[in-house]
Amino acid sequence: MADYQRMRDHMVEAHIKRRGIRDEHVLNAMRTVPREQFVAEGMAEFAYEDTPLSIEEGQTISQPFIVAAMIEAAEVRPGDRVLEVGAGSGYAAAVIGQIAERVYAIERHEALAASARQRVTDLGYDNIEVITGDGTRGLPEHAPFDAILVAAGGPAVPQALKEQLAVGGRLVIPVGKEFTQILCKVIRRTEAEYEESNLGAVIFVPLIGEQGWSEDGRRAASNHKPGASRKQSLPEMIAEAAEDLPNFDAPAFGRLFDRFGDRRVVLLGEASHGTAEFYRARAAVTRHLIAHRGYTIVAVEADWPDAARVDRYVRHRTASEREEPPFQRFPTWMWRNTEVRALTEWMREHNAGLDAMEDRAGFYGLDIYNMSGSIGAVLDYLDRVDPQAAAVARERYGCLTPWQKNPATYGRAALSRGYAQCEQAVIEQCQALLRKQLDYANNDGDTFLDATQNARLIASAERHYRIMYYGGAESWNLRDTHMFETLRHLLDAKGPDAKAIVWAHNSHIGDARFTDMGATRDELNIGQLCREAFRGEAALIGFGTHTGTVAAENDWDGDMQVMRVNPSRHDSYERLCHEAGKHRFLLDLSPGKHEPLRRRLSEPRLERFIGVIYRPDTELWSHYSQAVFPEQFDAYVWFDETQAVTPLGPEHHRGMPETYPFGE
C-alpha cells in the first residue's frame, strides 16, 4: 500500500520548499492535506508529483507548487476569513482551511462543487463552505475577506472582488490574455486605495463569469447585447474554421501550406511515430516546399549517421564502403517504411536535375548522439551482465516522452545496485559506438559537421550518456538542445538564405512552454527553441487523429505490432476535432486568424502523444498531457481515422534496379 504521508513529505521538500516557498504555515498545511483524496479515480499514485491532474467536468487540480505559491503570496494567516474562487476538487480550499479560520470556496460547476463539498465533509474540515456560483461576483454577504485567491485567469481584476477585501486584505489572481497571464497581487490600503504588484507569468484556465470571460471566449462585459445569436459549440467553430485537405498527391495539398512558405524553419509534427497519414502529409508538404519555395534542408528526428547514408543517396553522393545499412536498430519502422522510401526516391529524382550540390535538397538527422543505437548498446550490454537491470532499462526506455510517468520505475532504477554498477561500462560502450559512427561520417568530405563539431560531441558524450542512462528533465533538455544546435549548424552551413523543414514528434515541435513539459517540469524542446531564436520565422505545425491503427510496441526493443488506437478522450482536444465532423483538415491557429476560436481553445485540455511505445490500457497517464493548443502550434493537421505505416521488407525491393540506401 502506498505510503502517502511519505509522498507528501517528499513533495513538500522536493517540489515546494526547494523552489522557494518559506511560509511554515503553508508548508505544514501541504504536509497535512491528503491530495490523493482530491484527484480523479485511478490517479492517486500521481497525486504528489508536481503536476496538474485531470478532474471532473474537463477541469484540472492545480500543481502543488502553484497552490503553495498563491497561498504564500496571499499571506493567509490563522484567524483569517478567506474566499477562494474556482474550488475545483476542493484541494486548495482544504490547504487554506488548515491555516485560516474560515474558508468560502466558489465553484461554477455544480457537479464539481457537490463532490468538493462531500470531500471536505468526509475529511472533517468543518471550517470550509463550498458554494456553487459565479466567482467573479464574489460573496458580498460573507465579506469582507482578509484574503481572496482566484484559480482562473481573467481579463482584469473583477471590481466586485476588490470591493470585498478588508482594508489590508490581499487578493491574488491571474490577469491577462486568454493564453498567458501574470499573477497579480492586490492589497487594499484604504477604503479607496489599492496597491498592485506583478508576481510573474502563469498559465490558468479562463475565469468565466459576469466580470471575467464569457463562455464563447469574449470579455463578458461586451457580451450582453439583446438578440445575440446562439453561441456556437467548439466543434462547430472548429468545423467552420477548418480547411478541407485534398488527396496527398494533389498539388493543392502542398499549396495549402504556402502561407508558411517564407518561414526560415517549418516544423512538421506527428502525434505518433507509426501513422502512415502523418508521414504522407509531411511528405506532400515537404515536396511542395522543396520544389516551389526553395527549401533545401530536411532535418528529421533520426540519428545523424543513418540519415547521412540516405543523404548520400538523395544528393547523388558517393557512398562510404564502410557504412552499414541505415536504421537497423529499434524502432526500424520509424524510418524504414514505404512512406519515407517514396519521399527519398522523389528527392533523388528532384536533385538529379540540379547541377550544383548546394542547390540539392538534403536529408539530415538531428539526433547526433545516436539515441536508438545508444539504447540498443545499453540493452545489449545489460542483457549479458545483468538481465534484471536490463528489464528495468527496457521499462524506462519505454517511457521516453516526459509525461509517460511511472515513478516506481525510476525508483527501482535508482535503487538497483546492479543498474548503478553497470553505469560506467555502458557509458564507455556508448562512447565507442558514437566514435565509430562519426568516424564513418568523417570519411565523407561533404559532411556538414566538421572536425571541431565532432570533437565537441565526443567531449560531451559522457555527460549525455550518463544523463540519458538515468533519465529525467535534464536528459530531455540536453537532447532537444542538441537537435536545435544541429539545425542551426545546418542552416549556417547552407548560408543566410537557407530554409529548413523539420520532421519530429509533436512533443518536440510543439512549444513546450504551453504544455505540462514546460509548465510543470521545466523542460524545453526544439519548437520552443526555434520560436525563441527565429521569432516569427518558425512555423510549428502539429498533427493529430481520433482513432485507427498505429505501428508501435508496448516495451522498448520489442517486435513491432499494428495496434488499435483508442478513441480520443471526451475531455481532449482530439475529441473536439473529431466532433467537428470532418475527416481531414488544416486548422490555422496563427494569431489574428479565427480569434474567437483561439480564445475558446485557450483553456488547457488533454492532448494525446504516442511515441514508439503505445500502452492503450494505461493511456490516460501514459499518453495524455495538458496543453494550451493555440499557443503550442501555429497550425494543426487532422485525420479522423488513420492507419499504421508499412515497414519495408524484402518484398519491397524485388525488381528494383537499385536497393541502396535501404537495401540489405
Side-chain angles (χ1 to χ4, degrees), residues 74 92 237 351 441 624:
M237 295 177 73
N351 286 334
Y624 277 97

Side-chain angles (χ1 to χ4, degrees), residues 21-219:
I21 303 300
R22 296 289 180 261
D23 190 322
E24 286 297 330
H25 294 295
V26 177
L27 297 175
N28 290 334
M30 299 291 286
R31 291 188 184 101
T32 303
V33 177
R35 192 171 188 251
E36 74 275 7
Q37 299 289 333
F38 292 86
V39 300
E41 184 178 357
M43 299 297 286
E45 68 174 298
F46 305 108
Y48 295 101
E49 293 188 10
D50 192 34
T51 182
L53 296 173
S54 298
I55 55 175
E56 298 84 357
E57 302 297 321
Q59 301 298 300
T60 59
I61 177 174
S62 295
Q63 70 183 102
F65 173 75
I66 288 294
V67 174
M70 291 186 69
I71 298 173
E72 183 178 64
E75 304 175 52
V76 177
R77 292 291 180 266
D80 281 352
R81 291 168 59 83
V82 180
L83 172 65
E84 189 211 8
V85 175
S89 67
Y91 174 69
V95 175
I96 297 167
Q98 296 297 305
I99 308 170
E101 179 178 321
R102 189 72 184 170
V103 180
Y104 298 91
I106 306 178
E107 173 52 54
R108 71 187 184 92
H109 294 284
E110 172 56 39
L112 274 183
S115 61
R117 197 177 297 121
Q118 189 63 53
R119 285 188 180 100
V120 298
T121 299
D122 292 345
L123 289 167
Y125 299 152
D126 57 6
N127 64 334
I128 301 171
E129 183 176 348
V130 181
I131 300 166
T132 304
D134 179 355
T136 68
R137 300 170 64 182
L139 291 174
E141 63 272 26
H142 295 291
F145 298 103
D146 300 293
I148 300 175
L149 295 89
V150 183
V157 180
Q159 186 63 29
L161 298 184
K162 293 173 67 174
E163 292 173 353
Q164 290 172 37
L165 278 176
V167 174
R170 293 81 55 196
L171 164 62
V172 177
I173 177 175
V175 174
K177 298 180 180 179
E178 60 273 19
F179 305 118
T180 58
Q181 307 96 23
I182 56 124
L183 194 60
C184 181
K185 181 176 180 177
V186 179
I187 302 176
R188 188 170 192 174
R189 294 301 185 188
T190 68
E191 288 293 334
E193 295 179 347
Y194 298 87
E195 176 186 305
E196 295 190 11
S197 58
N198 179 350
L199 303 182
V202 289
I203 303 175
F204 276 82
V205 299
L207 177 63
I208 306 298
E210 183 180 283
Q211 296 185 36
W213 300 103
S214 66
E215 290 279 3
D216 66 359
R218 289 178 288 178
R219 287 188 69 156

Side-chain angles (χ1 to χ4, degrees), residues 326-592:
F327 309 120
Q328 294 296 308
R329 282 282 190 182
F330 176 92
T332 57
W333 71 87
M334 186 173 162
W335 297 110
R336 293 178 64 84
N337 59 59
T338 56
E339 288 77 17
V340 172
R341 187 192 64 178
L343 175 64
T344 58
E345 293 297 337
W346 180 90
M347 290 178 67
R348 180 175 170 84
E349 182 178 351
H350 169 81
N351 286 334
L354 301 173
D355 294 331
M357 185 65 71
E358 59 269 20
D359 293 335
R360 297 177 184 177
F363 189 90
Y364 308 95
L366 295 176
D367 265 351
I368 299 191
Y369 281 130
N370 202 350
M371 180 67 72
S372 62
S374 303
I375 291 173
V378 172
L379 297 178
D380 288 347
Y381 180 80
L382 294 179
D383 280 336
R384 293 196 305 273
V385 303
D386 191 338
Q388 185 176 2
V392 172
R394 279 191 170 83
E395 187 173 358
R396 290 181 65 254
Y397 290 140
C399 299
L400 282 178
T401 50
W403 39 79
Q404 291 183 330
K405 306 180 189 74
N406 187 343
T409 298
Y410 290 96
R412 285 197 298 276
L415 295 173
S416 169
R417 183 167 176 267
Y419 199 76
Q421 286 180 328
C422 293
E423 174 188 6
Q424 190 58 40
V426 166
I427 290 168
E428 290 171 357
Q429 186 172 11
C430 289
Q431 286 180 294
L433 173 71
L434 179 62
R435 286 191 178 96
K436 177 182 177 183
Q437 295 289 347
L438 290 177
D439 181 53
Y440 289 164
N442 280 335
N443 286 331
D444 177 6
D446 194 44
T447 184
F448 277 101
L449 285 182
D450 58 19
T452 302
Q453 172 74 351
N454 286 339
R456 184 186 66 81
L457 293 174
I458 294 295
S460 60
E462 179 173 359
R463 175 171 174 263
H464 169 80
Y465 287 124
R466 194 178 302 278
I467 291 170
M468 186 190 74
Y469 192 63
Y470 285 106
E474 190 176 1
S475 174
W476 177 272
N477 289 348
L478 185 62
R479 182 187 176 199
D480 267 57
T481 298
H482 274 284
M483 288 202 287
F484 173 72
E485 289 175 350
T486 304
L487 177 64
R488 289 293 295 261
H489 279 289
L490 287 166
L491 288 166
D492 290 345
K494 283 283 189 177
D497 296 326
K499 296 194 290 186
I501 304 161
V502 174
W503 286 29
H505 195 273
N506 283 352
S507 59
H508 292 292
I509 71 100
D511 193 325
R513 293 171 294 182
F514 300 95
T515 70
D516 280 351
M517 294 170 61
T520 70
R521 294 172 60 85
D522 296 323
E523 288 164 338
L524 49 75
N525 61 12
I526 191 172
Q528 173 187 337
L529 294 172
C530 282
R531 272 189 175 170
E532 291 173 344
F534 303 121
R535 304 294 179 180
E537 294 299 304
L540 281 50
I541 304 174
F543 287 65
T545 186
H546 170 63
T547 190
T549 60
V550 66
E553 185 46 67
N554 58 20
D555 209 353
W556 190 272
D557 212 24
D559 294 329
M560 188 210 84
Q561 303 178 41
V562 174
M563 307 172 75
R564 189 73 192 171
V565 178
N566 290 337
S568 57
R569 286 179 54 86
H570 73 280
D571 50 356
S572 67
Y573 283 114
E574 287 86 356
R575 181 55 65 94
L576 293 176
C577 291
H578 168 67
E579 291 179 351
K582 293 194 170 189
H583 179 65
R584 45 198 279 167
F585 58 76
L586 169 66
L587 186 63
D588 194 335
L589 298 169
S590 302

